[in-house]
């Protein structure tokens, strides 16, 4: 983008998702956790999305390797993405997120890792591990900058890309699949979703 260009674009026709599902998938860990009704609070989320061709490749792999009869009610992830940080309070504005984005180092470099899983009490999350020092550095900066207006569920940031939600214990053989391992991507555009996924904005870094 050129200097002076508006870095923010609102995305219309955005599919809203149940916030309990978002909270559970992003705070999951290899050990099952319990999420109570009181945890079901709307928070904002900063993400990066794959380009259309790469996203299509990921979706195709998931549908070719995960039988539909094993899916949980949340099914396949239709928009492959990596969460930079979830947990922004409702008081955080899009302008504040945009101003912060202008201060960080880009592009963000990431590499795809093995396919693994998070476990939940009721289902498992099949996901792809993400290897990225840049993302870990960005998460640290976000947590420091927004420390008064950010809910952090777990101290350790675990970047990942969700593929699908399956019934508990299904598809054990898919663990550690490495067919995408080493694929590299760079990002300098971000997406911010407001609490409860009500609105979504593309945010670019002006150069």
């Amino acid at each position: 983008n050129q200097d002076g260009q508006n870095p923010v674009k609102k995305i219309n026709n955005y599919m809203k998702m149940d916030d309990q599902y978002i909270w559970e998938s992003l705070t999951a860990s290899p050990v099952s956790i319990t999420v109570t009704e009181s945890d079901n609070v709307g928070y904002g989320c900063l993400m990066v999305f794959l380009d259309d061709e790469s996203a299509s490749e990921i979706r195709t792999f998931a549908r070719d390797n995960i039988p539909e009869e094993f899916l949980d009610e949340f099914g396949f992830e239709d928009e492959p993405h990596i969460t930079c940080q979830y947990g922004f309070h409702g008081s955080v504005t899009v302008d504040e997120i945009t101003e912060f984005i202008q201060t960080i180092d880009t592009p963000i470099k990431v590499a795809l890792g093995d396919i693994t899983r998070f476990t939940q009490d009721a289902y498992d999350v099949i996901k792809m591990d993400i290897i990225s020092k840049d993302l870990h550095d960005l998460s640290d900066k976000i947590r420091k900058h927004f420390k008064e207006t950010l809910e952090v569920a777990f101290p350790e940031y675990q970047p990942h890309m969700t593929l699908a939600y399956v019934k508990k214990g299904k598809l054990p053989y898919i663990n550690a699949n490495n067919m995408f391992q080493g694929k590299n991507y760079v990002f300098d555009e971000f997406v911010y979703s407001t609490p409860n996924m009500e609105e979504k904005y593309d945010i670019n870094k002006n150069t």
Side-chain angles (χ1 to χ4, degrees), residues 127-144:
K127 46 91 176 180
M128 192 177 303
D129 292 338
I130 301 297
I131 304 164
S132 174
K133 181 180 183 301
D134 290 346
L135 277 177
H136 281 277
D137 290 346
L138 175 58
S139 178
D140 288 342
K141 291 177 182 177
I142 291 173
R143 294 179 185 207
K144 290 176 182 177

Side-chain angles (χ1 to χ4, degrees), residues 26 44 92 113 137 147 197:
L26 292 177
V92 176
D137 290 346
K147 61 182 179 180
M197 309 291 275

Side-chain angles (χ1 to χ4, degrees), residues 42-164:
Y43 294 111
C45 184
L46 186 67
M47 303 166 278
V48 290
F49 281 72
L50 294 184
D51 61 90
D52 291 343
E53 182 178 350
S54 299
S56 177
E57 183 180 12
I58 298 295
R59 285 194 296 266
T60 297
F61 170 83
R63 284 161 173 74
D64 286 348
N65 290 275
I66 302 175
E68 289 193 10
E69 61 264 30
F70 292 160
L71 292 176
D72 180 74
E73 62 179 300
F74 298 126
F76 293 109
E77 172 57 65
D78 290 327
E79 295 185 306
H81 64 275
I82 305 165
T83 297
C84 303
Q85 187 65 57
Y86 179 76
F88 294 94
H89 293 182
S91 60
V92 176
T93 66
V94 175
D95 286 343
E96 289 178 285
I97 297 292
T98 304
E99 290 173 5
F100 171 77
I101 292 298
Q102 307 313 309
T103 70
I104 66 175
D105 295 328
T106 55
I108 302 294
K109 301 175 183 178
V110 308
L112 304 186
D114 289 346
I115 295 173
T116 57
R117 74 178 60 215
F118 286 139
T119 61
Q120 291 287 352
D121 288 340
Y123 58 85
D124 289 350
V125 181
I126 304 299
K127 46 91 176 180
M128 192 177 303
D129 292 338
I130 301 297
I131 304 164
S132 174
K133 181 180 183 301
D134 290 346
L135 277 177
H136 281 277
D137 290 346
L138 175 58
S139 178
D140 288 342
K141 291 177 182 177
I142 291 173
R143 294 179 185 207
K144 290 176 182 177
H145 187 87
F146 293 96
K147 61 182 179 180
E148 301 299 329
T149 53
L150 188 69
E151 186 73 21
V152 177
F154 289 90
E156 182 183 358
Y157 175 56
Q158 300 182 51
H160 64 277
M161 184 187 306
T162 297
L163 302 179

